[in-house]
Amino acid sequence: MKARIEKIFGLLESPVDAIVLANSTEPHLDQSFFYAFDVPSGLFEGSVAIAKPDGHLDVLTSPLEATSAEEAAKGDPHVTVHAVSRDGTDAAVQKLLGPAATVGLHYRELTHDWYLRLEKALPKVTWVDATPAIRKARATKDATEIARLRTAAEIGSKAGLEIPSLLKSGVTELELAAEIEHRMNRHGANGRSFSTIVGFGPHGAEPHFQPGDARLKDGQSIVCDFGAIHRRYASDITRSFHFGRRDDEMKRVHETVEAAQQAALDTIRPGVPAKEVHLAAEKVIDASPWKGRLIHGVGHSIGLAVHDGWYYGPQIADPLEEGMVFTVEPGIYLTGKGGVRIEDDIVVTKHGYEFLTTAPRGYVEVAA
Ligand code: GLY
Ligand code: MN
Ligand code: MN
């Protein structure tokens, strides 16, 4: 934990005396709190982490999570856990910050309510935005984070492999989504990265479609997008299938998306501007009969959040770095008919990339 805190302080544009990471109530929890304080269990609503430039971390938590917090801090001389009541949190922050004159906050995730509370408790402090440093620190994952992301991706991959056996005439989107989530849990997930997407036929043409009671019919394509949480780290995988009667157009669409994904993957290595990854996939799709039907950026970083702060998009010049973990997820969306998206998780390595997801990506037809 000390190394992560020092990494954040080392990336600040100007020095601060401390950085405060404060959680509100679910879903307004700052995942950076869990970046600084690596604790596997507990919600930590209302908890606060105070990091100092020497790598020390004070964690203020309610008695609700004190056992997990103390367990996580055990043997680490750089972490001190303080169990405080909700009512006592502001006074404890005030005391622990002591004479600090300039304090960094994570503006991107801090609620306005927390900001007002901090201003009131410490009226003389100058608050500065530590978001760029936190975002940059979290962008390149350490070995522990990569191992967790790999496990999360393996769990998603195992569930993905089982989807063809779940495709039966008349199954509803909600039933299939529930089964995918159940399978991920059985494979070791302790949560889902986001609400599972299952779209049959025309619903697959909407990238973030939420499953409903539509039933699977002969001749439909299917998009399933899901992810597992393992030790707070998220995977994100999409597999597309075809059910029953062959549709030659959807088969060619699938093959084009596969080619687009490969073209994107082929660009990945340290130093490459993120937009190159997007543009490589877009070029393949725009040279096909489905020009313009890639309607989103071709990927995003994953980590403690499924959308972890970094994206590939046509304008994004940020260079890739070793240790970044991204999705690569081109798709083609045909309104009124269906969609195909193929999404994998990769880690950027010294000379290229390595897959974290392992489920096969090729065209799969399931008999009706
Ligand atoms: N699961 C949402 C996405 O792929 O970004
Ligand atoms: Mn994704
Ligand atoms: Mn996804």
Side-chain angles (χ1 to χ4, degrees), residues 164-323:
S165 71
L166 305 171
L167 301 177
K168 308 271 189 251
S169 206
V171 68
T172 70
E173 292 165 337
L174 276 168
E175 286 165 351
L176 181 56
E179 194 58 36
I180 292 169
E181 292 181 4
H182 175 64
R183 301 285 174 125
M184 288 197 293
N185 287 347
R186 293 291 298 259
H187 290 304
N190 66 344
R192 57 184 191 184
S193 310
F194 55 91
S195 189
T196 297
I197 297 164
V198 171
F200 294 160
H203 294 163
E206 197 180 314
H208 285 163
F209 185 80
Q210 281 302 291
D213 52 15
R215 293 186 184 279
L216 184 58
K217 293 204 254 311
D218 191 357
Q220 283 185 318
S221 289
I222 300 141
V223 177
C224 302
D225 185 347
F226 47 97
I229 295 286
H230 169 70
R231 291 277 310 230
R232 299 194 189 274
Y233 282 78
S235 62
D236 188 6
I237 171 168
T238 306
R239 289 294 180 262
S240 302
F241 305 91
H242 194 77
F243 184 67
R245 207 172 50 245
R246 163 84 53 95
D247 180 322
D248 288 330
E249 183 182 27
M250 292 312 285
K251 183 168 185 288
R252 287 204 311 279
V253 165
H254 199 290
E255 287 160 358
T256 304
V257 174
E258 255 185 278
Q261 194 199 38
Q262 192 56 55
L265 288 164
D266 288 345
T267 64
I268 295 176
R269 61 181 183 284
V272 166
K275 64 182 175 185
E276 298 299 329
V277 185
H278 178 89
L279 294 172
E282 191 176 66
K283 192 171 163 196
V284 171
I285 291 171
D286 283 354
S288 79
W290 303 286
K291 183 173 180 346
R293 298 320 301 157
L294 170 65
I295 56 173
H296 53 68
V298 102
H300 52 86
S301 61
I302 55 173
L304 284 158
V306 70
H307 291 166
D308 203 45
W310 298 81
Y311 297 89
Y312 308 131
Q315 318 285 346
I316 299 177
D318 301 314
L320 298 184
E321 290 177 46
E322 186 179 356

